[in-house]
Protein backbone atom coordinates (compact mmCIF):
# COMPACT_ATOMS: atom_id res chain seq x y z
CA UNK A 1 0.00 0.00 0.00
CA UNK A 2 1.44 3.34 -0.98
CA UNK A 3 1.81 6.05 1.64
CA UNK A 4 1.14 9.16 -0.42
CA UNK A 5 -1.40 11.89 0.15
CA UNK A 6 -4.15 12.13 2.72
CA UNK A 7 -7.16 14.41 3.12
CA UNK A 8 -9.27 15.85 5.91
CA UNK A 9 -13.07 15.47 5.81
CA UNK A 10 -15.19 17.29 8.39
CA UNK A 11 -17.80 15.34 10.35
CA UNK A 12 -20.14 17.06 12.84
CA UNK A 13 -19.56 14.29 15.40
CA UNK A 14 -15.85 13.49 15.01
CA UNK A 15 -14.58 16.82 13.68
CA UNK A 16 -11.83 16.62 11.06
CA UNK A 17 -11.15 13.05 9.99
CA UNK A 18 -7.96 12.20 8.09
CA UNK A 19 -8.02 9.43 5.47
CA UNK A 20 -5.17 7.66 3.70
CA UNK A 21 -4.77 7.75 -0.09
CA UNK A 22 -6.27 4.28 -0.65
CA UNK A 23 -9.40 5.30 1.27
CA UNK A 24 -9.64 8.50 -0.76
CA UNK A 25 -9.48 6.57 -4.03
CA UNK A 26 -12.29 4.28 -2.84
CA UNK A 27 -14.41 7.16 -1.48
CA UNK A 28 -14.21 8.87 -4.88
CA UNK A 29 -15.78 5.92 -6.74
CA UNK A 30 -19.47 5.88 -7.75
CA UNK A 31 -19.75 2.47 -6.07
CA UNK A 32 -18.84 4.00 -2.71
CA UNK A 33 -20.76 7.23 -3.30
CA UNK A 34 -23.98 5.20 -3.70
CA UNK A 35 -23.87 4.67 0.08
CA UNK A 36 -25.07 8.27 0.44
CA UNK A 37 -28.51 7.01 -0.63
CA UNK A 38 -28.76 4.06 1.76
CA UNK A 39 -30.11 4.91 5.19
CA UNK A 40 -28.12 3.55 8.13
CA UNK A 41 -31.36 2.78 9.99
CA UNK A 42 -33.24 1.40 6.98
CA UNK A 43 -36.98 1.90 7.10
CA UNK A 44 -36.86 3.56 10.55
CA UNK A 45 -36.41 6.78 8.60
CA UNK A 46 -40.08 6.58 7.55
CA UNK A 47 -41.19 6.64 11.19
CA UNK A 48 -38.38 8.83 12.56
CA UNK A 49 -37.45 11.33 9.81
CA UNK A 50 -34.69 12.73 12.03
CA UNK A 51 -32.91 9.37 11.72
CA UNK A 52 -31.27 10.46 8.48
CA UNK A 53 -27.76 9.06 9.01
CA UNK A 54 -26.62 7.16 5.92
CA UNK A 55 -24.15 4.35 5.16
CA UNK A 56 -21.72 6.83 3.58
CA UNK A 57 -21.37 8.86 6.79
CA UNK A 58 -21.30 5.68 8.86
CA UNK A 59 -18.52 4.14 6.76
CA UNK A 60 -16.37 7.26 7.01
CA UNK A 61 -16.84 7.24 10.79
CA UNK A 62 -16.00 3.54 11.11
CA UNK A 63 -12.79 4.00 9.09
CA UNK A 64 -11.79 7.00 11.21
CA UNK A 65 -12.53 5.27 14.54
CA UNK A 66 -10.84 2.04 13.42
CA UNK A 67 -7.71 4.06 12.65
CA UNK A 68 -7.87 5.82 16.03
CA UNK A 69 -8.36 2.53 17.90
CA UNK A 70 -5.53 0.63 16.25
CA UNK A 71 -3.20 3.66 16.44
CA UNK A 72 -3.94 3.92 20.17
CA UNK A 73 -3.14 0.22 20.58
CA UNK A 74 0.11 0.67 18.63
CA UNK A 75 1.17 3.60 20.80
CA UNK A 76 0.24 2.01 24.13
CA UNK A 77 1.15 -1.62 23.47
CA UNK A 78 4.34 -1.68 21.38
CA UNK A 79 4.70 -5.40 22.08
CA UNK A 80 1.86 -5.96 19.59
CA UNK A 81 4.20 -4.74 16.81
CA UNK A 82 1.41 -2.98 14.92
CA UNK A 83 2.77 -1.40 11.75
CA UNK A 84 1.52 1.61 9.79
CA UNK A 85 0.65 -0.82 6.99
CA UNK A 86 -1.65 -2.77 9.31
CA UNK A 87 -3.27 0.47 10.47
CA UNK A 88 -3.94 1.44 6.84
CA UNK A 89 -5.47 -1.97 6.02
CA UNK A 90 -7.76 -1.79 9.06
CA UNK A 91 -8.84 1.73 8.06
CA UNK A 92 -9.69 0.53 4.52
CA UNK A 93 -11.63 -2.44 5.94
CA UNK A 94 -13.61 -0.10 8.20
CA UNK A 95 -14.38 2.11 5.24
CA UNK A 96 -15.52 -0.77 3.02
CA UNK A 97 -17.34 -3.00 5.49
CA UNK A 98 -20.80 -1.84 4.35
CA UNK A 99 -20.25 -1.59 0.58
CA UNK A 100 -22.60 -4.53 0.01
CA UNK A 101 -25.69 -3.01 1.60
CA UNK A 102 -28.73 -2.73 -0.62
CA UNK A 103 -31.82 -0.55 -0.32
CA UNK A 104 -33.29 -0.42 3.19
CA UNK A 105 -30.05 -1.82 4.58
CA UNK A 106 -30.53 -5.05 6.61
CA UNK A 107 -34.14 -5.46 5.49
CA UNK A 108 -32.73 -6.05 1.99
CA UNK A 109 -30.73 -9.01 3.35
CA UNK A 110 -33.48 -10.52 5.49
CA UNK A 111 -36.59 -9.97 3.39
CA UNK A 112 -35.35 -9.90 -0.19
CA UNK A 113 -32.12 -11.87 -0.43
CA UNK A 114 -32.79 -14.66 2.05
CA UNK A 115 -36.00 -15.65 0.25
CA UNK A 116 -34.58 -15.49 -3.26
CA UNK A 117 -32.85 -18.63 -4.52
CA UNK A 118 -31.40 -16.72 -7.49
CA UNK A 119 -29.24 -14.57 -5.21
CA UNK A 120 -25.95 -16.29 -4.40
CA UNK A 121 -24.61 -13.80 -1.84
CA UNK A 122 -27.36 -13.38 0.71
CA UNK A 123 -25.61 -11.20 3.29
CA UNK A 124 -24.09 -7.76 2.93
CA UNK A 125 -20.69 -8.87 4.25
CA UNK A 126 -20.19 -11.23 1.29
CA UNK A 127 -21.38 -8.53 -1.10
CA UNK A 128 -19.08 -5.98 0.58
CA UNK A 129 -16.08 -8.19 -0.17
CA UNK A 130 -17.20 -8.60 -3.78
CA UNK A 131 -17.79 -4.88 -4.20
CA UNK A 132 -14.43 -4.06 -2.57
CA UNK A 133 -12.57 -6.40 -4.93
CA UNK A 134 -14.52 -5.01 -7.89
CA UNK A 135 -13.51 -1.42 -6.97
CA UNK A 136 -9.86 -2.39 -6.49
CA UNK A 137 -9.73 -4.08 -9.90
CA UNK A 138 -11.85 -1.57 -11.83
CA UNK A 139 -9.96 1.50 -10.62
CA UNK A 140 -6.56 -0.23 -10.41
CA UNK A 141 -6.05 0.75 -6.78
CA UNK A 142 -2.58 -0.15 -5.59
CA UNK A 143 -3.10 -3.06 -3.19
CA UNK A 144 -1.40 -6.42 -3.52
CA UNK A 145 -3.23 -9.74 -3.30
CA UNK A 146 -2.23 -10.33 0.34
CA UNK A 147 -3.50 -6.86 1.36
CA UNK A 148 -6.79 -7.44 -0.50
CA UNK A 149 -7.30 -10.80 1.21
CA UNK A 150 -6.48 -9.29 4.63
CA UNK A 151 -9.04 -6.52 4.13
CA UNK A 152 -11.68 -9.01 2.98
CA UNK A 153 -10.98 -11.17 6.04
CA UNK A 154 -11.46 -8.12 8.25
CA UNK A 155 -14.75 -7.27 6.52
CA UNK A 156 -16.09 -10.83 6.67
CA UNK A 157 -14.06 -13.08 8.95
CA UNK A 158 -14.23 -16.77 8.06
CA UNK A 159 -12.73 -17.92 11.38
Amino acid sequence: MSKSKSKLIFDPLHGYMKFNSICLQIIDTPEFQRLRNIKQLGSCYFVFPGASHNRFEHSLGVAFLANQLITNLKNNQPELKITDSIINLIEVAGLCHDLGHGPFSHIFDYKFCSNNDKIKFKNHEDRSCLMFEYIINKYKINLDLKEIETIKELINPKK
Side-chain angles (χ1 to χ4, degrees):
M1 177 183 297
S2 65
K3 244 186 116 173
S4 54
K5 65 181 180 174
S6 62
K7 183 178 187 177
L8 294 175
I9 297 174
F10 185 78
D11 178 77
L13 181 62
H14 302 299
Y16 286 101
M17 304 181 296
K18 184 177 179 182
F19 294 96
N20 69 51
S21 63
I22 298 294
C23 286
L24 294 175
Q25 291 174 67
I26 293 168
I27 290 168
D28 286 343
T29 66
E31 292 83 2
F32 188 85
Q33 290 291 317
R34 69 180 263 286
L35 296 177
R36 290 179 183 272
N37 298 315
I38 300 174
K39 299 291 185 201
Q40 175 69 14
L41 299 175
S43 59
C44 291
Y45 177 71
F46 293 111
V47 178
F48 303 101
S52 60
H53 191 61
N54 60 48
R55 291 278 168 192
F56 179 84
E57 296 161 341
H58 167 73
S59 295
L60 294 179
V62 170
F64 174 72
L65 292 175
N67 180 298
Q68 281 195 322
L69 172 68
I70 199 71
T71 299
N72 194 17
L73 286 173
K74 175 188 177 185
N75 294 337
N76 291 299
Q77 293 185 264
E79 68 274 12
L80 295 176
K81 297 181 170 113
I82 297 170
T83 64
D84 289 342
S85 177
I86 290 170
I87 292 170
N88 286 334
L89 295 178
I90 290 171
E91 182 179 346
V92 172
L95 182 73
C96 296
H97 81 284
D98 274 350
L99 279 171
H101 270 291
F104 302 109
S105 235
H106 289 278
I107 290 175
F108 183 77
D109 288 357
Y110 301 131
K111 294 296 182 188
F112 179 74
C113 295
S114 65
N115 298 324
N116 190 331
D117 293 334
K118 295 179 183 176
I119 296 177
K120 182 177 178 184
F121 302 100
K122 300 201 183 287
N123 67 62
H124 76 272
E125 294 89 356
D126 289 334
R127 293 189 306 272
S128 291
C129 289
L130 286 172
M131 184 76 78
F132 167 70
E133 205 161 8
Y134 174 81
I135 289 170
I136 297 307
N137 292 326
K138 179 178 180 182
Y139 300 101
K140 299 179 180 14
I141 294 174
N142 187 24
L143 290 171
D144 65 33
L145 188 57
K146 185 178 178 191
E147 291 170 326
I148 292 168
E149 290 305 314
T150 299
I151 291 167
K152 287 170 46 180
E153 182 67 21
L154 289 166
I155 292 171
N156 191 17
K158 301 293 182 218
K159 299 175 187 170

